[in-house]
Amino acid sequence: MSMRKTLLFFFSVCWSVAVIAESSPDLGEIATVDFLEQGRYDVFPDGEGLPQGSGNATQGEAVYNQHCQTCHGLKGEGGSAEELAGAMHGLTDNPPDKTIGTYWPYATTLFDFIRRSMPLSAPGSLTDDQLYAVTAYLLYINHIIKNEDEISAKTLPRITMPNHEGFINVFDGQE
Amino acid sequence: MHDDEFKPIAEGGLLDRRLFLKKGLTFTSIAWLAPSAMAEAVRSDAMSTPGRALSNYGNPSNHENKVIRWTMGNAAAPVNGVSWTPLHALEGMITPNGLHFERHHNGVPDIDPDSHRLLIHGLVNRALVFKIEDLLRYPMTSRYCFIECGGNSNAGWHAEPMQTEAGYFHGMASCSEWTGVPVKMLFDEAGIKGRAKWVIAEGADASMMSISLPLEKLLDDCLLAFYQNGERIRPENGYPVRLLVPGWEGVLNVKWLRRLRLTNRPVMARNETAKYTELLPNGKAEQFSFVMGVKSLITRPSYGQQLNKPGLYQITGLAWSGHGKIVKVEVSADGGKSWAEAQLQEPVLSRCFTRFRIPWQWEGKKAVLKSRAIDEQGNQQPERHELIQAKGQQGYFHYHAIVSWAIADDGSVSHVYA
């Protein structure tokens, strides 16, 4: 870049910054620490966002039977809502069974989704221990963990789901 | 008029698209006015008694009470479900607000705008909280834009052609004028940190629906939308504020928006892993397949409608593409052997419904009508067998193949795979 061009570039950047600042009302308030708590619902595959607490499948079966079974059926099959277990077919069969055991790539997604959305009739009503327990139960009936395995912020992100490698990121592929 | 103007330009009686414009009324009156229309010459009841009084908010005519969304909820939990726009009964390119399609994961929340807050946080210099009344003071912009659910038209994957009205098949797509504030403006105020690449959006409904979007899309053309077709967004469309993500899967247009979090990676929410991913025949699934493909369908004539007698008809329908503008729609009346270019009605806008029309002389014989669209990126709407060849039949989402309507000798219309 020539000196002149550099200067021009410099001024145009300054100018546009000034324009943004001028035309941007800037009416947001700085979020307080308490308010930022609202962001605590996101759970990432590496475990970021998982709370304290723990549970296993035995405890989870009780939670499931009380809070989930009416819609999702006994052991996650045959309810009015999605099948959560009991896949009879693989992903290349016709028709395929897309369940937690055959399709879901991350175990952390279960905790994230159940905490924010389930049980459908009373979302947000389960304690963190209950959430870990029912997550453990769903992993157990999908043959991913054992009955007595303790699920917590430490162990949940370490679980490798059977279909972990099953997804192609076509957005990044396009770039 | 000259006879040669009425020469078909493709098989099955498709006529030059400019004919309607040229011939105007002479032409349409032949097609649409039955002789019995003359009978109404006397002073009718409506002309003899005072009408209804003024109203604060108008409703459609009682005679139009069959023009409705088709709703389908989960049997045990009706708050979870879908409703379809009756595209087959509408005209133009704008969907009336009360007929915009719906997909709710756990019902429509009743949100008081005074207590609603939008939080922008994560990889920003300043985490900011906004009140709705403050956001409404920001400079706004409007755009016409379709929203289409990624699962729209999924019955197209079925082995047998489903017999249902065009809108109740393909109407998880609607088009509105959306008005709001560019997301970029608020992100600039918060100050984007260099590592930010994704944004997690979250709704304030009972499912707290969340999903990840690439930051570059939000900076490019996304809006925080407050108005739909001039009035504040309806509750079922995200009141008081929704995200508008032009051309991309409906699920990304998060309703009842309460939080935008800038991150360096996607959160891998249920709706970007278990759902809204397309399983391919090799057992792998496509993820983050955001853009809605180029698509069109004939809305008139379409399933359930009836051609009363041979003569001149106007075939019309809608075309749209998440990649940009529609540049061409072609129509076939012989099941795809020959094609004629349809008229695109202005305005033709990027990522917006585009209305197409073409005159058609129906001889009273069997015919198969199809439309196919091409967008400005050169994408052409595929035939159904081509789509299935490329993607298999278990993808569920992103069905955008050519739709075929069979006209029987008696003028009835059915859905076929042809």
Side-chain angles (χ1 to χ4, degrees), chain A residues 24 26 42 82 103 109 116, chain B residues 189 208 259 268 275 277:
Chain A
S24 213
D26 201 13
D42 306 323
E82 332 258 315
Y103 199 62
T109 305
R116 62 175 66 245
Chain B
E189 287 188 354
M208 291 182 66
R259 200 160 65 82
M268 299 298 176
K275 304 286 174 209
T277 49

Side-chain angles (χ1 to χ4, degrees), chain B residues 165-185:
Chain B
E165 286 80 359
Y168 303 153
F169 194 137
H170 305 282
M172 269 196 266
S174 310
C175 186
S176 306
E177 183 200 47
W178 300 96
T179 303
V181 178
V183 174
K184 181 176 188 305
M185 186 172 265

Side-chain angles (χ1 to χ4, degrees), chain A residues 18-74:
Chain A
V19 167
I20 285 171
E22 237 170 63
S23 67
S24 213
D26 201 13
L27 301 174
E29 272 174 60
I30 305 286
T32 60
V33 176
D34 277 356
F35 200 84
L36 284 172
E37 269 292 290
Q38 293 203 359
R40 73 187 174 86
Y41 279 93
D42 306 323
V43 176
F44 291 81
D46 60 10
E48 186 190 330
L50 283 170
Q52 304 267 305
S54 67
N56 62 34
T58 311
Q59 296 156 343
E61 182 169 12
V63 178
Y64 182 86
N65 289 343
Q66 194 185 339
H67 298 283
C68 323
Q69 195 200 310
T70 42
C71 297
H72 290 287
L74 195 66

Side-chain angles (χ1 to χ4, degrees), chain A residues 91 100-105 160-167, chain B residues 283-285:
Chain A
L91 295 179
I100 293 164
T102 60
Y103 199 62
W104 289 46
T160 305
M161 298 293 273
N163 195 37
H164 178 65
E165 301 283 317
F167 291 82
Chain B
K284 300 277 181 205

Side-chain angles (χ1 to χ4, degrees), chain A residues 20 23-32 35-36 38-46 48 71 80-82 91-96 98 103-106 109 112-113 116-117 119-121 123 163 165-172 174-175, chain B residues 74 76-77 105-106 117 119 121 126-131 134 137-139 185 188-189 200 202 206-208 210 214 216 248 258-259 261 263 265-270 273-275 277-290 394:
Chain A
I20 285 171
S23 67
S24 213
D26 201 13
L27 301 174
E29 272 174 60
I30 305 286
T32 60
F35 200 84
L36 284 172
Q38 293 203 359
R40 73 187 174 86
Y41 279 93
D42 306 323
V43 176
F44 291 81
D46 60 10
E48 186 190 330
C71 297
S80 68
E82 332 258 315
L91 295 179
T92 51
D93 293 330
N94 184 12
K98 296 192 235 176
Y103 199 62
W104 289 46
Y106 302 103
T109 305
D112 177 283
F113 181 73
R116 62 175 66 245
S117 308
L120 197 84
S121 35
N163 195 37
E165 301 283 317
F167 291 82
I168 307 159
N169 178 339
V170 293
F171 178 70
D172 282 346
Q174 278 164 4
E175 281 180 317
Chain B
N74 175 290
H105 296 269
N106 203 356
R117 296 288 181 275
L119 171 62
H121 70 133
R126 308 185 298 158
L128 296 175
V129 186
F130 293 90
K131 293 189 201 143
D134 288 339
R137 275 177 51 194
Y138 277 69
M185 186 172 265
D188 284 345
E189 287 188 354
I200 303 164
E202 180 182 79
S207 83
M208 291 182 66
S210 75
E216 64 180 76
W248 287 21
R258 73 190 284 265
R259 200 160 65 82
R261 174 178 180 173
T263 68
R265 65 211 192 283
V267 69
M268 299 298 176
R270 177 252 192 177
T273 54
K275 304 286 174 209
T277 49
E278 294 81 58
L279 184 58
L280 299 171
N282 66 4
K284 300 277 181 205
E286 297 194 336
Q287 189 184 24
F288 304 126
S289 42
F290 300 121
Q394 306 300 342

Side-chain angles (χ1 to χ4, degrees), chain B residues 156-405:
Chain B
W157 301 111
H158 294 182
E160 295 300 322
M162 186 169 81
Q163 301 303 327
T164 192
E165 286 80 359
Y168 303 153
F169 194 137
H170 305 282
M172 269 196 266
S174 310
C175 186
S176 306
E177 183 200 47
W178 300 96
T179 303
V181 178
V183 174
K184 181 176 188 305
M185 186 172 265
L186 300 175
F187 280 4
D188 284 345
E189 287 188 354
I192 302 169
K193 287 199 172 148
R195 282 175 302 131
K197 260 202 99 185
W198 290 81
V199 177
I200 303 164
E202 180 182 79
D205 61 326
S207 83
M208 291 182 66
M209 222 283 301
S210 75
I211 198 150
S212 315
L213 300 102
L215 173 62
E216 64 180 76
K217 174 68 173 175
L218 285 154
L219 296 177
D220 177 25
D221 64 354
C222 294
L223 291 183
L224 290 179
F226 299 95
Y227 294 86
Q228 176 184 4
N229 295 328
E231 66 179 0
R232 291 290 292 278
I233 288 176
R234 296 278 169 102
E236 66 263 39
N237 271 299
Y239 185 88
V241 57
R242 86 176 302 168
L243 201 55
L244 184 77
V245 186
W248 287 21
E249 292 168 338
V251 66
L252 299 156
N253 295 247
V254 176
K255 299 185 283 190
W256 316 295
L257 188 69
R258 73 190 284 265
R259 200 160 65 82
L260 291 170
R261 174 178 180 173
L262 286 75
T263 68
N264 59 356
R265 65 211 192 283
V267 69
M268 299 298 176
R270 177 252 192 177
N271 281 333
E272 63 208 33
T273 54
K275 304 286 174 209
Y276 304 98
T277 49
E278 294 81 58
L279 184 58
L280 299 171
N282 66 4
K284 300 277 181 205
E286 297 194 336
Q287 189 184 24
F288 304 126
S289 42
F290 300 121
V291 184
M292 296 310 294
V294 61
K295 190 162 178 174
S296 74
L297 82 151
I298 293 170
T299 53
R300 204 175 61 230
S302 63
Y303 169 87
Q305 297 168 3
Q306 176 73 39
L307 307 184
N308 288 327
K309 54 179 192 221
L312 197 52
Y313 287 85
Q314 185 181 63
I315 293 175
T316 184
L318 293 167
W320 64 95
S321 169
H323 297 281
K325 279 186 194 177
I326 293 296
V327 291
K328 194 195 236 184
V329 176
E330 292 170 306
V331 172
S332 173
D334 59 3
K337 287 191 209 80
S338 64
W339 297 86
E341 193 174 341
Q343 184 80 39
L344 301 186
Q345 180 173 290
E346 294 292 335
V348 177
L349 302 170
S350 177
R351 301 180 174 99
C352 184
F353 276 3
T354 298
R355 173 66 60 180
F356 65 86
R357 304 177 189 282
I358 189 167
W360 173 50
Q361 181 72 43
W362 183 51
E363 308 276 335
K365 292 189 296 217
K366 284 191 179 61
V368 173
L369 303 181
K370 292 185 176 200
S371 65
R372 71 176 179 206
I374 298 174
D375 68 27
E376 62 182 341
Q377 309 253 335
N379 302 295
Q380 179 171 314
Q381 187 179 13
E383 286 281 6
R384 184 171 177 277
H385 66 87
E386 293 169 335
L387 182 65
I388 288 173
Q389 196 173 22
K391 301 281 181 183
Q393 223 157 333
Q394 306 300 342
Y396 188 86
F397 301 96
H398 289 273
Y399 185 92
H400 66 122
I402 290 172
V403 178
S404 306
W405 303 119

